[in-house]
Amino acid sequence: MKAARGFVRAHGPAKAVIEPIGRAGARVVLVGEDGAMGDVLVKDVAAGEALVAKVDGLEAATWDAETVNATKIGAAHRQKMAGKRLFS
């Protein structure tokens, strides 16, 4: 909960998309008012829903057009997600 509250303080009201990730639990992807992205791992979807309900400034969302368009992904994030390339 501390991480989610800190994200909201730093990036304004946020949308929260809860994604099940198998046995590892669930990932709550946060999209701030400024377009920043973050995430919090929780034990399951129910814990993610409880997190969203308890943290002021979080709104449950889905990956609809509004949420996707609210994200601002910079070059550094794209490079990190792409990983190392074997060939140039």
Side-chain angles (χ1 to χ4, degrees):
M1 216 174 324
K2 184 177 178 181
R5 285 187 175 129
F7 184 89
V8 170
R9 274 194 304 276
H11 303 286
K15 296 183 178 292
V17 179
I18 303 167
E19 302 174 328
I21 54 174
R23 291 183 184 170
R27 178 179 181 218
V28 182
V29 182
L30 307 172
V31 179
E33 185 175 56
D34 61 358
M37 291 181 66
D39 64 358
V40 178
L41 297 179
V42 295
K43 69 178 186 169
D44 55 29
V45 171
E49 291 168 345
L51 174 78
V52 173
K54 289 180 183 178
V55 175
D56 289 335
L58 283 185
E59 172 190 351
T62 62
W63 285 119
D64 58 10
E66 181 182 344
T67 304
V68 171
N69 292 331
T71 63
K72 293 182 182 160
I73 301 172
H77 185 77
R78 289 179 204 279
Q79 185 175 22
K80 178 181 174 185
M81 295 306 290
K84 293 183 179 181
R85 291 186 180 180
L86 296 176
F87 305 99
S88 305

